[in-house]
Amino acid sequence: MSDFCYIHAADLHLDTPFEGFKKTAPEVHAALLDASLQAWDALVDLALERDAAFLLLAGDLYDGAQRGLRAQLRFHRGVSRLCDAGIQVLAVHGNHDPVDEGWSAVRSWPEGFTVFPTSQVSSVVVEKGGERLATVYGQSYAQRETKENLALGFRRGGEGGLHIGLLHCNVGGAPGHANYSPCSVADLCAADMDYWALGHVHRHAIVRDADPTIVYPGNLQGRSPQPGERGAKGAVVVDVRGGRVSGLTHVALDRVRFVEETVDVSACEDLIALEAHLANATEALRRQVGERGLMLRVRLTGAGESLAADLARKDVALELIDSLRERAFGMTPFLWWDGLKVDAAPRHVDTVIDDFTGSLEQLFTSLVEDTAATEALVSASLEKLPQRKQGVEFPTLDPADNETLLRAGREVALELLSSGGDAE
Ligand SMILES: [Mn+2]
């Protein structure tokens, strides 16, 4: 059997709106808005350059069920380029782009493009030059809330070539990830595939090396500064030799990279030295990320007592980040100082400055001082509860409870921001 390679990507989240970043510089916001689409173009280029036999897309092609025309046009263009070159594209939908809840602007796709249906597992054969390279099995999500273990429906057929399962799912109840199509490694092994092309978890992971190989490629483009979204994002090139998976290579395709870096500042005597030290420390990082924008959060460790006291003064950390942003102004590719966190011993000053938590805190402070606005927010939020829409009546709330609700809401929001929330 001929040797070949194929490409496995997932979680494209095309045209992610990056709503948390409206307060960045306009050129940074513009770069973010284009990043997911450019990463898709880069994926198409990669498949063409490597002369891949086929491309697998394991769900969450779009960021929201309504998809958006810009994302669909760009996706269609990429699929057409691949199919014109004889590279088949096989896709399933996931919880972010479920088929029944979605809208498709496209009525006909190029020959060579497959979206697996939602009703059951079905299979497609990939042939080249009359040779059967692979059989790909897949099933799409009909609805976002897909709690059924879809992996149980996969069974290897008897034909030759590689057998590949394509699915958006949560293996092993990975904590911090919405539990859609939950399944175990044992469930995946039982299907007797050679390779499982998974999607959903945004962090690249080789769940199992061989027999079968089980891979999450991670998302194509990072979407936030949360831990699972940081670092290099891209797709996995899978090499097949002698009918077996022989190599896995993660290729970075992201256009903007979210990075959190720890910088030792124990040698910095004062804020003047600190600012210069931070500006220098980022140069190496910019070289590392290469030709892509850099969304940077820095954690400062080892600050001496007097430097820590300076940083703890009102607005000082905020002004420091403004100054660093000014220094970075006009750099190509861009560098955006997204946050600064100070872990300072011995007095443990813990300062976090960033746009997400910063705007949340601003909102909270303004609401706490304004009982009428708090009341309006609480009643508007209650109206949005699904139970209310179904006609369930709630007891009247005591306005004195509003502040408690507000504080609880703030805690939940901060928790979601630090954990990444239900974003996969
Ligand atoms: Mn996703």
Side-chain angles (χ1 to χ4, degrees), residues 135-291:
T135 309
V136 181
Y137 307 77
Q139 183 172 1
S140 290
Y141 284 26
Q143 269 100 29
R144 175 185 176 85
E145 297 285 325
T146 296
K147 298 292 173 74
E148 182 192 345
N149 179 356
L150 299 179
L152 298 177
F154 287 68
R155 279 287 168 276
R156 183 193 188 96
E159 309 79 3
L162 212 66
H163 291 254
I164 300 172
L166 180 61
L167 186 62
H168 199 77
C169 65
N170 183 343
V171 179
H177 300 277
N179 210 17
Y180 297 128
S181 186
C183 61
S184 64
V185 170
D187 295 335
L188 297 179
C189 291
D192 203 18
M193 298 288 143
D194 297 302
Y195 184 95
W196 273 100
L198 304 184
H200 187 45
V201 171
H202 286 189
R203 206 189 291 259
H204 167 48
I206 297 170
V207 179
R208 191 177 157 108
D209 275 335
D211 305 314
T213 306
I214 304 175
V215 176
Y216 282 113
N219 48 344
L220 200 57
Q221 165 62 54
R223 299 162 73 228
S224 79
Q226 305 313 327
E229 302 285 339
R230 289 183 209 143
K233 296 292 183 180
V236 171
V237 178
V238 184
D239 288 308
V240 180
R241 280 174 199 278
R244 291 180 62 85
V245 172
S246 65
L248 303 171
T249 314
H250 183 264
V251 178
L253 299 167
D254 48 352
R255 300 314 305 147
V256 175
R257 189 163 300 170
F258 291 87
V259 171
E260 184 173 298
E261 187 78 356
T262 301
V263 176
D264 181 353
V265 297
S266 53
C268 301
E269 192 185 2
D270 58 17
L271 291 165
I272 311 297
L274 175 65
E275 197 227 13
H277 182 63
L278 289 176
N280 288 335
T282 55
E283 273 316 298
L285 262 179
R286 292 191 71 229
R287 280 195 296 276
Q288 267 174 40
V289 302
E291 289 300 307

Side-chain angles (χ1 to χ4, degrees), residues 333-355:
F334 74 81
L335 159 65
W336 179 253
W337 283 86
D338 179 50
L340 202 57
K341 188 175 168 69
V342 186
D343 292 336
R347 287 201 335 204
H348 191 70
V349 186
D350 198 17
T351 316
V352 184
I353 308 292
D354 66 67
D355 293 331

Side-chain angles (χ1 to χ4, degrees), residues 11 13 60 95-96 168 200 202 423-424:
D11 298 278
H13 290 262
D60 286 3
N95 55 292
H96 271 264
H168 199 77
H200 187 45
H202 286 189
E424 294 83 22

